[in-house]
Structure formats: C-alpha cells, structure tokens
Amino acid sequence: MALTRRLSYTIVFSNFTAKKKNRIGKLQRVSESPNTVISADHNMESPELTFTLAYTVLSLCFVFTPNEFRSAGLTIQNLFSSWLGSEDMDFVQYHVKRSSTTLLVHSALPLGYYMGMCIAAPEKHLKSFYLMNDHWRAFVVLSVCILLTSCILTFYWSRQRWRNHPISRALQAHVHPPYSNWGSVASNINTEFRRIDKFATGAPGARVIITDSWVLKVTTYNIYMAAQSDCHVTVTESRQHQLSPDSASPIQLLTLRVHSINPAIRPFDISLNSTEYAELREKLHAPIRNSSNVVIHQTMSELFLETFRAHVDLNQPYLLPTGQEVEPCIGCMQVPATTKLVRLCHVEGADSEPECDECFCRPMWCLSCLGRWFASRQDQQRPETWLSSRVPCPTCRAKFCILDVCLVH
C-alpha cells in the first residue's frame, strides 16, 4: 500500500510539473509575440518615416532657402533662369515670371510628397486610388486641387501679357501723368534699377530697393511699391539681436512703414539693419518720421566720424594763400576740399623726433572723406586707439595724426 501511494504521488507531481512547464512556455510565447509584431511594424514604417522627414526638410529649405542651397544653385531663380531672363535688364517682367513660377513650384510640393511615398512605401498600395485608405485619398485630392488652382490662377495672370498679375495691378495704380499706362511705369522702374547708385539690402524673400523715384519691397510672391514723391516713411519698431550669422557683434533691426498718399497703395513694412539707415536716408527723398522715439544705433565708423569732426574743429585753421582756389574733393567729387595737413603736434624744444611728417600736398580732401580714410586705416578690434593713432596721407603717404588736420579758411 505504501508503495502504491508513493507511486501515485509521484505521478500526480509529474503531471503538475508538466502542466506548469506548458503554461510557462505559452506565457513566454505570448510575451515574445508583441515584440515580434512591434519589430515588424517598426521595420515596415521606417522607410516611410525616413522619407517623410527628408522630404519635409528639403521642402522647407526650398521654400525658405538657406545660404547653403543658394550657394549650390538650388533656387527657383537658378533652376528656371533660362525662362525668367535677366533681372538687371527687365526687372518687372523678371519678377512677374519669378513669382508665378514660385507659386507653381510651391503648390506642387504636396503632390510631390505623395509621388515619393508611392516609391518609398509600396506596401501601402498608394498607386491605386481605390486601394489606399481614406486619409491618403483625401490628401491626394487636396494636393491635386492645390496644384490645379495654382495653374488656373497663373493662366489667368498671364492673359493679356500678364496684365492681371498682382505686380501689374500695382503698376496700374501709379498710372498718372507723366505715365500713360502701366507699361511706361514698368519701363521707368527697369531703367532706375539698372543704375549703380540704387540702395538694395535684405534677404531674397524680403529685399528692399530704393531708386531715385521708387521704394520697392520684393517678396516671394509680390512686389510692394510706392513712389517717393507720394510717400512718407515712419520708423515704427526696433529689435535688438545679440546673435547674427553675419556679424560677431549685436545688431539692431529697424522696421519702417511706408505710407502713400495714393489711396490705391496699401502701407507696407520694410526691415533693415540700423547700420544701413544712414545710407537709406541719403537715397530716400521722402520724409522719415520716428513715431516711437526709437534710438537708432550708429556704426563705429559713423560715431568716429562725428568725434573726428569735433576734434578737428578745435585745431588751428589753415588760411588759404591769396589767389589759390579750392578744388573739389578727389574722394567724393561732390563738395570742395576743406582740409589741409599741417604738422602741429610737434612741441618745440622736445628731445624726441616727431612721429608725424610734414605734408606738402595742397587741400585735396573734404573732412568726411579724410575722416573715413582715417578710420579705414585703424585696427577695427581696438577702437579705443583710433584717436591717438597716426595714418599716412592718402596722397603722399606722410604720416599725420588728428591734431594735424586743419580746416581751410
């Protein structure tokens, strides 16, 4: 009996152990199966995710073109240069074509993403409109509608030699004597843009161009314009940036609003660096107001030029000999020469030899040009040494300091 009872216990324990092992094996297989599914799904979605990220980055770089893409020529202006023509020869017509081409290319980007996904993820059956899911079907319909709308709009703009384009309509708002039609307005803008004395600044998506008669802002899809004789400019905002890709020092960005007395012209804003404000004022004949009492920072050279003038006013004047005429400044050829270099820094009886030389040149430079020459010969990293330094005469190379500059009387 004892032996039979022991055998029955052994059989029951063996059955229990076998069942327990079977349950553990099933649990292990169940626990491993989700990882296998997740791994398969991850491998299946990785090409789609990679293509989506890559296409998104390339699309953003194509719309908001960085300097690297611009250097490589990956811009609409370079890719379609044969059809767009030359900006210098035909400014208005060039930007009419450029803005239309840009609209078409940008509107084709969503459809391009779908076409790329057909190759990157063939298991989604995106090539068949009926086999794809509802989300992709809605995306394809929306992409085609966007591109089709842009094509219809561009065709409407191109009718009657681009008469319906927004740039052409902006030109038509300026048709008044002496302009007979919007074509003559465009011809005048093209002529003034070819001149080398125009003021141009800003990124390609927000360029600011000031000609003799026009204030222009070139954007991605349009050109805002105002005649200088009909507008006034207001400084509305100032922003300080500590970091800049073009300068190691902080920069100040100014926002100026251009208002026109022409009711058909809407006000628009232009943005520029404060260091370019002085150059803009020289080219802009329209009045400039500072409504927000914005403090405009000057460049180091402009600050030095003011200090240079103040110190020269304290020096002994130079009396022009009888019969000698004052010639125009050879630097700018716009104002008379108003300075003469006379060695005045040497103290009589000093033991050391003077560091400045005697200049025998006649008055040939105005104060502004001589001050700019003085600043250009300095160490730009050490502005505290500018006033005490010596530079060579721009004509004879004789060394002089700020105490040797005399105003001609």
Side-chain angles (χ1 to χ4, degrees), residues 48-118:
E48 177 186 356
L49 181 61
T50 302
F51 176 77
T52 301
L53 293 177
Y55 192 86
T56 301
V57 172
L58 290 176
S59 299
L60 291 176
C61 291
F62 202 71
V63 175
F64 308 100
T65 311
N67 293 331
E68 290 76 12
F69 271 55
R70 208 177 311 281
S71 302
L74 298 177
T75 61
I76 293 178
Q77 292 87 334
N78 290 332
L79 297 177
F80 298 91
S81 58
S82 58
W83 185 73
L84 296 179
S86 173
E87 182 185 33
D88 294 331
M89 297 302 299
D90 199 347
F91 174 81
V92 174
Q93 189 70 11
Y94 173 87
H95 284 285
V96 166
K97 294 181 178 180
R98 178 199 58 80
S99 58
S100 302
T101 305
T102 302
L103 178 63
L104 290 175
V105 173
H106 288 178
S107 61
L109 291 177
L111 191 60
Y113 173 70
Y114 160 72
M115 297 175 65
M117 283 297 297
C118 293

Side-chain angles (χ1 to χ4, degrees), residues 17-264:
T17 305
K19 291 181 180 180
K20 185 176 181 181
K21 289 182 178 180
N22 292 335
R23 292 179 62 186
I24 293 175
K26 291 181 179 179
L27 290 174
Q28 289 178 349
R29 287 193 297 271
V30 171
S31 62
E32 290 175 357
S33 59
N35 294 335
T36 305
V37 174
I38 293 174
S39 177
D41 292 343
H42 177 72
N43 293 332
M44 182 175 61
E45 292 181 358
S46 58
E48 177 186 356
L49 181 61
T50 302
F51 176 77
T52 301
L53 293 177
Y55 192 86
T56 301
V57 172
L58 290 176
S59 299
L60 291 176
C61 291
F62 202 71
V63 175
F64 308 100
T65 311
N67 293 331
E68 290 76 12
F69 271 55
R70 208 177 311 281
S71 302
L74 298 177
T75 61
I76 293 178
Q77 292 87 334
N78 290 332
L79 297 177
F80 298 91
S81 58
S82 58
W83 185 73
L84 296 179
S86 173
E87 182 185 33
D88 294 331
M89 297 302 299
D90 199 347
F91 174 81
V92 174
Q93 189 70 11
Y94 173 87
H95 284 285
V96 166
K97 294 181 178 180
R98 178 199 58 80
S99 58
S100 302
T101 305
T102 302
L103 178 63
L104 290 175
V105 173
H106 288 178
S107 61
L109 291 177
L111 191 60
Y113 173 70
Y114 160 72
M115 297 175 65
M117 283 297 297
C118 293
I119 302 174
E123 67 279 355
K124 291 184 176 293
H125 306 289
L126 297 179
K127 295 182 180 180
S128 176
F129 185 77
Y130 299 100
L131 296 179
M132 65 179 66
N133 58 39
D134 295 337
H135 298 289
W136 274 106
R137 194 177 292 110
F139 179 81
V140 172
V141 171
L142 181 61
S143 301
V144 173
C145 290
I146 292 175
L147 181 58
L148 186 61
T149 302
S150 300
C151 293
I152 296 175
L153 184 60
T154 304
F155 177 75
Y156 169 72
W157 287 348
S158 63
R159 302 283 293 175
Q160 300 180 1
R161 300 181 63 182
W162 300 96
R163 181 183 179 86
N164 300 319
H165 195 277
I167 297 178
S168 302
R169 290 202 297 266
L171 293 172
Q172 295 170 19
H174 294 280
V175 176
H176 54 76
Y179 306 116
S180 58
N181 52 48
W182 68 272
S184 58
V185 180
S187 178
N188 178 260
I189 294 177
N190 294 338
T191 302
E192 294 189 359
F193 182 79
R194 297 190 195 103
R195 299 173 183 171
I196 60 175
D197 61 342
K198 63 179 177 295
F199 172 81
T201 185
R207 292 174 60 196
V208 178
I209 301 172
I210 311 294
T211 65
D212 294 336
S213 306
W214 300 94
V215 180
L216 307 172
K217 179 185 177 181
V218 181
T219 62
T220 304
Y221 305 111
N222 201 358
I223 296 181
Y224 299 93
M225 60 189 70
Q228 288 207 40
S229 58
D230 298 339
C231 72
H232 64 271
V233 181
T234 305
V235 181
T236 59
E237 186 183 1
S238 170
R239 300 189 305 274
Q240 191 79 11
H241 294 270
Q242 298 299 325
L243 297 178
S244 170
D246 302 325
S247 176
S249 58
I251 62 172
Q252 181 189 27
L253 294 180
L254 302 176
T255 301
L256 293 80
R257 170 150 291 196
V258 180
H259 298 266
S260 178
I261 61 175
N262 189 339

